[in-house]
């Protein structure tokens, strides 16, 4: 055997022509993720038979031969190095081993003649770990097959394979048909919103699908708990329940969509997948079901509360909705030492009781709670002196616009001398110096404020006069101050600021 010559070809599953490659000792070692000396010893001791030779007396193996041989020798514990497509078809249904709890996932497990197959179901909490980490949990010795049900859902739910015996290079693609072929069953499927440990643990082969409440990755519990602190017909309770209903309806719709795609897909056969759970229907809900004035009043009252539950609700509301119905919603970080306008604004801030509105900005008890007396907007001061302010969606100003300062944030000065952070919508931010949504929203805001200082922040990014769009897409230096006349001229496309560089000024001199 020592006189034989062997080719070593570097290969990976998925490369073009992979199936037709001729593997020497080194390539077999790379394929199985073992030392070359180990493969040599297998050949030396006739554990790995020489399978093919060519005209030049080169001995070689095909990938299929190597993988089949590996699965036929379970004592070598190589199953965790073989992709699922090479596993043998089941002669009968695989033995169901039950479930295993992982970090933020549950695994359903089956025993086949080739090894244990673990299917990983990430839970409906919106958080996931890496497939490599999960594989190490479910297969600490690196054997068996590990299959992850992913979040991808185009023609049907996708799955990814992982080789626990080759953790540094273990990802590969597979499909439900291969998994069903290896297990000899239609694989049970839980839509993402129904991946709840108790449902997966309770499943047994042959069980009919259960109907269960679809859970969103967003916990609506705090909303319902806070609603319970008000009388049932109180407007604040109705607003809180309405948002909880919307969150849960969205989870139901996502689960129902998955069911429909599975039943209608031309790419999935009934013997590939079977539904393990169906979603319990939840009626639709929308914030427009409640009068907007009533909604704003309700959220104002919740913001003013000082209990921890109200703080949790406000953080949840900001995450789900962005704060559409809040008087001041978007948070902006301001360093008062960076400009005279920031210093002027910061000088009028007053200490106040800490409320849910402050915790929504920065939930840390060691920050100082402040308020802007002109807008009643919440502000917190961090330990390093940085301020985080809730930006009003509209200004309660009594005087018209006098000038606009292109700073961070954009500032407004009214004719009575008061400085204000420019109002902004809960969704669109304000910026300038390029073609994009921020400059588009700023151009619309200028157009509105020239006519009405109490106009709300721009809820769109298109439609401003062309002159204002030119202005806000220009890279104006930070600290640029434009008067009302300047802005009005820009709106009429009669004004465009021109700035000279230091070199140009020297040339003029």
């Amino acid at each position: 055997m020592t006189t034989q010559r062997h080719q070593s070809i570097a290969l990976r599953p998925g490369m073009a022509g992979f199936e037709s490659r001729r593997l020497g000792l080194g390539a077999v070692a790379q394929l199985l993720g073992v030392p070359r000396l180990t493969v040599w010893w297998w050949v030396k001791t006739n554990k790995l038979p020489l399978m093919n030779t060519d005209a030049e007396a080169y001995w070689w193996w095909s990938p299929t031969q190597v993988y089949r041989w590996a699965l036929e020798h379970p004592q070598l514990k190589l199953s965790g190095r073989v992709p699922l497509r090479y596993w043998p078809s089941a002669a009968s249904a695989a033995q169901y081993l039950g479930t295993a709890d992982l970090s933020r996932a549950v695994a359903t497990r089956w025993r086949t003649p080739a090894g244990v197959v673990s299917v990983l179901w990430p839970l409906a909490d919106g958080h996931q770990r890496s497939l490599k980490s999960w594989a190490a949990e479910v297969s600490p010795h690196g054997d068996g097959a590990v299959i992850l049900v992913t979040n991808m859902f185009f023609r049907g739910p996708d799955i990814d394979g992982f080789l626990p015996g080759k953790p540094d290079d273990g990802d590969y693609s597979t499909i439900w048909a291969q998994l069903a072929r290896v297990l000899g069953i239609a694989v049970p499927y839980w839509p993402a919103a129904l991946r709840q440990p108790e449902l997966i643990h309770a499943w047994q082969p042959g069980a009919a699908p259960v109907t269960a409440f679809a859970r969103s990755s967003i916990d609506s519990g705090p909303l319902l708990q806070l609603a319970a602190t008000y009388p049932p017909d109180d407007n604040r309770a109705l607003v809180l329940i309405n948002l909880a209903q919307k969150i849960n309806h969205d989870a139901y719709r996502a689960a129902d969509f998955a069911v429909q795609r599975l039943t209608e897909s031309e790419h999935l056969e009934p013997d590939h997948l079977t539904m393990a759970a169906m979603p319990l229907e939840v009626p639709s809900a929308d914030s427009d079901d409640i009068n907007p004035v009533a909604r704003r009043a309700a959220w104002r009252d919740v913001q003013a509360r000082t209990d921890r539950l109200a703080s949790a609700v406000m953080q949840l509301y900001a995450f789900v909705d962005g704060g559409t119905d809040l008087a001041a919603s978007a948070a902006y970080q301001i360093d008062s030492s960076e400009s005279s306008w920031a210093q002027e604004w910061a000088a009028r801030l007053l200490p106040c009781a800490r409320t849910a509105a402050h915790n929504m900005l920065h939930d840390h008890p060691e920050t100082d709670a402040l308020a802007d007396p002109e807008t009643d907007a919440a502000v917190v001061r961090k330990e390093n002196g940085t301020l985080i302010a809730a930006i009003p969606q509209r200004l309660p100003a009594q005087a018209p616009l006098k000038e606009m300062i292109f700073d961070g944030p954009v500032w407004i000065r009214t004719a009575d001398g008061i400085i204000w952070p420019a109002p902004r919508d809960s969704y669109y931010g304000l910026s300038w110096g390029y073609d994009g949504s921020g400059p588009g929203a700023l151009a619309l805001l200028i157009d509105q404020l020239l006519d009405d200082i109490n106009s709300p922040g721009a809820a769109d990014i298109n439609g401003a006069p062309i002159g204002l769009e030119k202005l806000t897409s220009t890279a104006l230096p930070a600290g640029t101050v434009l008067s009302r006349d300047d802005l009005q001229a820009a709106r009429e496309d009669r004004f465009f600021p021109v700035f000279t560089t230091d070199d140009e000024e020297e040339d003029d001199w």
Side-chain angles (χ1 to χ4, degrees):
M1 293 299 300
T2 57
T3 62
Q4 299 294 336
R5 300 167 62 194
H6 302 274
Q7 290 177 311
S8 179
I9 306 174
L11 296 169
R12 291 186 307 168
M15 293 177 62
F18 175 73
E19 297 292 348
S20 62
R21 294 301 184 99
R22 298 182 175 189
L23 310 182
L25 287 181
V28 170
Q30 184 178 8
L31 191 70
L32 295 178
V34 298
R36 188 179 187 278
L37 185 60
T38 299
V39 179
W40 175 86
W41 181 251
W42 288 339
V43 174
K44 175 74 173 178
T45 58
N46 293 319
K47 187 169 291 182
L48 173 60
L50 298 172
M51 297 181 181
N52 312 287
T53 188
D54 58 19
E56 297 182 4
Y58 285 97
W59 289 97
W60 58 273
W61 298 260
S62 72
T64 299
Q65 289 173 332
V66 173
Y67 281 140
R68 286 179 177 173
W69 171 84
L71 293 176
E72 289 168 357
H73 292 76
Q75 73 279 10
L76 297 178
K77 300 185 183 301
L78 296 173
S79 62
R81 303 160 190 262
V82 181
L84 197 66
R85 65 179 299 180
Y86 296 97
W87 285 45
S89 300
S92 59
Q95 177 189 1
Y96 184 56
L97 300 178
T99 59
D101 286 317
L102 310 178
S103 176
R104 297 174 177 169
V106 174
T108 48
R109 310 182 75 220
W110 284 265
R111 185 183 302 283
T112 75
V116 173
V117 177
S118 300
V119 182
L120 311 186
W121 301 90
L123 299 180
D125 62 1
H127 302 285
Q128 290 201 20
R129 302 184 69 202
S130 69
L131 180 49
K132 180 179 178 179
S133 298
W134 274 325
E137 284 190 73
V138 76
S139 181
H141 302 296
D143 52 353
V146 176
I147 307 298
L148 172 70
V149 183
T150 75
N151 286 332
M152 298 298 293
F153 205 106
F154 177 52
R155 293 176 174 175
D158 287 345
I159 53 176
D160 287 335
F162 190 82
L163 303 176
K166 298 176 66 177
D168 293 330
D169 186 28
D171 296 282
Y172 67 92
S173 297
T174 188
I175 59 176
W176 290 102
Q178 291 175 359
L179 180 58
R181 174 185 61 78
V182 170
L183 298 183
I185 62 166
V187 186
Y189 182 79
W190 289 267
L194 293 171
R195 289 175 199 164
Q196 301 158 23
E198 62 272 20
L199 298 181
I200 302 176
H201 290 323
W203 183 86
Q204 290 296 322
V210 299
T211 300
F213 187 76
R215 292 181 189 168
S216 170
S217 60
I218 303 168
D219 182 13
S220 63
L223 294 166
L224 298 175
Q225 293 167 11
L226 190 62
T229 68
Y230 298 107
D233 58 350
D234 188 287
N235 185 61
R236 291 161 293 187
L238 297 177
V239 168
L240 294 165
I241 292 172
N242 173 266
L243 182 57
Q245 183 90 348
K246 185 179 185 302
I247 291 171
N248 293 318
H249 173 71
D250 289 345
Y252 159 72
R253 286 185 59 192
D256 187 59
F257 171 79
V259 172
Q260 296 301 320
R261 292 300 295 267
L262 286 175
T263 56
E264 297 171 0
S265 175
E266 299 176 356
H267 304 276
L268 292 170
E269 300 293 336
D271 57 352
H272 295 166
L273 284 178
T274 183
M275 294 303 304
M278 306 285 283
L280 182 66
E281 185 172 1
V282 175
S284 64
D286 190 89
S287 59
D288 288 339
D289 296 339
I290 300 175
N291 180 280
V293 174
R295 292 199 315 265
R296 289 193 289 269
W299 287 117
R300 183 185 63 242
D301 289 350
V302 173
Q303 270 192 303
R305 292 178 58 141
T306 59
D307 55 276
R308 297 300 302 176
L309 181 57
S311 294
V313 164
M314 291 311 306
Q315 290 168 352
L316 186 154
Y317 174 57
F319 177 77
V320 173
D321 180 85
T324 302
D325 290 320
L326 302 181
S329 54
Y332 198 97
Q333 187 164 291
I334 301 173
D335 185 345
S336 61
S337 66
E338 290 186 348
S339 74
S340 59
W341 302 285
Q343 292 173 8
E344 180 180 353
W345 167 81
R348 73 171 183 240
L349 301 178
L350 299 175
C352 66
R354 190 176 194 88
T355 66
H358 294 93
N359 289 332
M360 185 173 67
L361 295 172
H362 195 282
D363 190 13
H364 195 290
E366 295 184 8
T367 56
D368 297 325
L370 307 169
D372 180 352
E374 296 291 348
T375 63
D376 288 332
V379 181
V380 296
R381 181 187 289 115
K382 297 168 64 175
E383 291 180 318
N384 63 3
T386 300
L387 298 165
I388 303 176
I391 304 298
Q393 295 204 45
R394 67 174 71 214
L395 302 180
Q398 302 296 315
L401 172 69
K402 177 182 178 182
E403 62 187 19
M404 176 172 284
I405 301 100
F406 288 72
D407 195 47
V410 177
W411 298 99
I412 299 292
R413 190 181 298 280
T414 49
D416 54 7
I418 299 175
I419 191 85
W420 315 79
R424 58 160 289 183
D425 180 71
S426 62
Y427 184 77
Y428 291 111
L430 302 175
S431 55
W432 72 92
Y434 60 97
D435 292 324
S437 60
L442 180 56
L444 278 174
L445 176 66
I446 296 171
D447 187 43
Q448 294 169 184
L449 293 181
L450 285 171
D451 295 331
D452 181 3
I453 192 61
N454 303 125
S455 293
D460 203 342
I461 60 175
N462 299 305
I466 186 65
L468 290 176
E469 289 188 344
K470 289 179 183 178
L471 176 68
T472 59
S473 62
T474 302
L476 303 173
T480 297
V481 180
L482 297 180
S483 68
R484 179 183 184 88
D485 289 342
D486 293 336
L487 298 173
Q488 181 63 47
R491 179 160 70 169
E492 297 169 4
D493 204 12
R494 296 186 292 103
F495 168 81
F496 192 80
V498 177
F499 299 95
T500 59
T501 65
D502 292 340
D503 291 340
E504 291 172 329
E505 291 175 354
E506 290 175 2
D507 291 341
D508 291 342
W509 175 257

